[in-house]
Amino acid sequence: MTKGPTTSEELRAEEGGDGPRHGVVRTAFGVLRRDGRPLFGLTARVTGLVALGALLLTAVAFLAAWPTFTEIRLASIRAHIDEDSYAPDGRRVQHLWLILLVCMPFLILLLHLGCTAIQTASARAVAGGGTRGRLRTVLGVYVLRGVLVWAPVVLGILVEEYFTTTLFREYTVIVPKWEYPNLFEVLRYGPPLLGMAIALVLRLGWTLAPATAAAEDLGPWSALRRSWSLTWSLASAAWFRTVAVALPLGLLTVGVYLLLHPAARPLRSGTVHLFLAWGPDNTYAAYVAGILAPIAAALLLTGALVLPPAHTLLAVLQRRLAPAREPQPAATRT
């Protein structure tokens, strides 16, 4: 049984064509067999730091939401005294959603920091330590790619909301904002679906951008352009190879999370009891903390298990596609 390359010299020889060319998956597993221990060790440390940062961010969010939690708690006590049922009104729930919306960019930035460290380490492992990529440039790629990919989706939703919502007039009459009701369904589903389609195309074209920045020390814009040219190259089926790697990785990530989240559900009751025992006496805040705990644990464990092999696969794929796109310097052909 043949194995993938296990040394940097073998990997470089294989990439240069001086020997049998293994598949992307076999090559990636050969890298993990050689450098898996330090890579997973780095992943464990990064996961711990991201968990601490997310915990601090959650504490700040709970402090900001505490007046709302207090109002909900007092209202529920009054409803219990009056022997009536209670549910938080829309204004309070919207306030909590607003706090979550404000915290999301910082949480995404934390996750991108973790991905940046792992992607850079994976690229160095694939290249045998010969990469020059810097953490800040790879992080810039993640941030820029995230903004540009999500922009069409957000724009499509805003267009749909503008043309399909209603206006209140004269206190009682509801008048549609759009004057042509025959196009209502098109305007309701068309812009969001178009935005999602554009986002998928952009995300596929920029799949290799972080690995490119880590391997070739390119800036964010240059890495995005380079990844786009590699993925949509007409000279080879690069887009098909990218889909063949990225799609299973995405399905694997979702599958691992769906398996881990039910396994982490016992954390829900434990978090509620811990919150009430050591924190303020607010059952609704404890309920929210109990909901968040299994989600956070499942996300962190999914990242720790999936990201090292995923980023290694993407780094190997980028290294395979790069020579096919650009020839070697002229000095090697003379």
Side-chain angles (χ1 to χ4, degrees):
M1 178 178 175
T2 60
K3 298 181 179 180
T6 56
T7 67
S8 58
E9 290 79 8
E10 291 175 358
L11 183 61
R12 284 194 293 267
E14 178 189 334
E15 298 297 337
D18 302 330
R21 190 177 182 86
H22 298 294
V24 172
V25 176
R26 179 178 293 186
T27 303
F29 276 104
V31 174
L32 290 174
R33 192 182 303 115
R34 185 190 71 228
D35 296 321
R37 179 169 298 187
L39 187 57
F40 277 98
L42 172 67
T43 303
R45 295 191 297 272
V46 168
T47 302
L49 292 175
V50 171
L52 289 177
L55 184 61
L56 178 60
L57 181 61
T58 304
V60 173
F62 268 69
L63 288 176
W66 200 254
T68 302
F69 285 141
T70 302
E71 292 177 8
I72 294 174
R73 175 62 172 164
L74 294 177
S76 65
I77 292 175
R78 287 193 296 267
H80 180 72
I81 293 174
D82 297 337
E83 298 182 353
D84 192 8
S85 60
Y86 172 75
D89 60 37
R91 180 182 61 83
R92 295 189 177 98
V93 174
Q94 288 177 1
H95 184 251
L96 294 178
W97 277 109
L98 179 61
I99 293 174
L100 176 62
L101 186 63
V102 171
C103 291
M104 282 300 294
F106 298 98
L107 180 60
I108 294 173
L109 180 60
L110 276 175
L111 296 177
H112 282 171
L113 281 169
C115 291
T116 297
I118 299 171
Q119 179 67 84
T120 305
S122 299
R124 290 172 179 169
V126 170
T131 61
R132 301 167 295 165
R134 292 168 292 180
L135 288 175
R136 68 170 181 265
T137 58
V138 181
L139 177 61
V141 171
Y142 274 108
V143 174
L144 183 61
R145 185 181 68 177
V147 171
L148 295 179
V149 166
W150 280 102
V153 178
V154 174
L155 182 60
I157 294 174
L158 291 177
V159 171
E160 181 268 335
E161 288 291 326
Y162 178 78
F163 284 111
T164 61
T165 52
T166 56
L167 288 176
F168 287 89
R169 297 179 181 175
E170 302 290 336
Y171 301 101
T172 55
V173 179
I174 302 177
V175 181
K177 293 182 70 173
W178 182 247
E179 298 178 359
Y180 304 97
N182 292 334
L183 297 178
F184 180 82
E185 294 299 326
V186 175
L187 290 168
R188 182 175 184 180
Y189 298 106
L193 291 177
L194 179 61
M196 290 180 62
I198 295 174
L200 287 175
V201 172
L202 293 177
R203 183 61 177 82
L204 176 62
W206 293 334
T207 298
L208 303 177
T212 300
E216 303 181 18
D217 194 21
L218 298 176
W221 284 108
S222 299
L224 291 179
R225 289 195 298 267
R226 172 76 163 146
S227 175
W228 188 270
S229 65
L230 289 177
T231 303
W232 298 113
S233 171
L234 298 178
S236 63
W239 68 270
F240 180 79
R241 298 176 68 182
T242 305
V243 172
V245 171
L247 183 60
L249 288 178
L251 295 176
L252 175 64
T253 303
V254 174
V256 171
Y257 175 80
L258 292 178
L259 289 175
L260 291 176
H261 185 261
R265 282 178 184 170
L267 290 174
R268 182 170 182 171
S269 59
T271 302
V272 171
H273 293 312
L274 186 65
F275 190 97
L276 294 176
W278 296 94
D281 184 17
N282 190 309
T283 54
Y284 191 80
Y287 167 77
V288 174
I291 291 178
L292 294 177
I295 297 175
L299 283 175
L300 290 171
L301 288 176
T302 299
L305 294 174
V306 174
L307 286 181
H311 286 327
T312 303
L313 275 168
L314 293 176
V316 172
L317 178 62
Q318 186 275 336
R319 192 174 174 87
R320 287 285 177 85
L321 295 179
R325 178 63 179 175
E326 289 187 0
Q328 297 296 323
T332 63
R333 303 194 299 267
T334 58

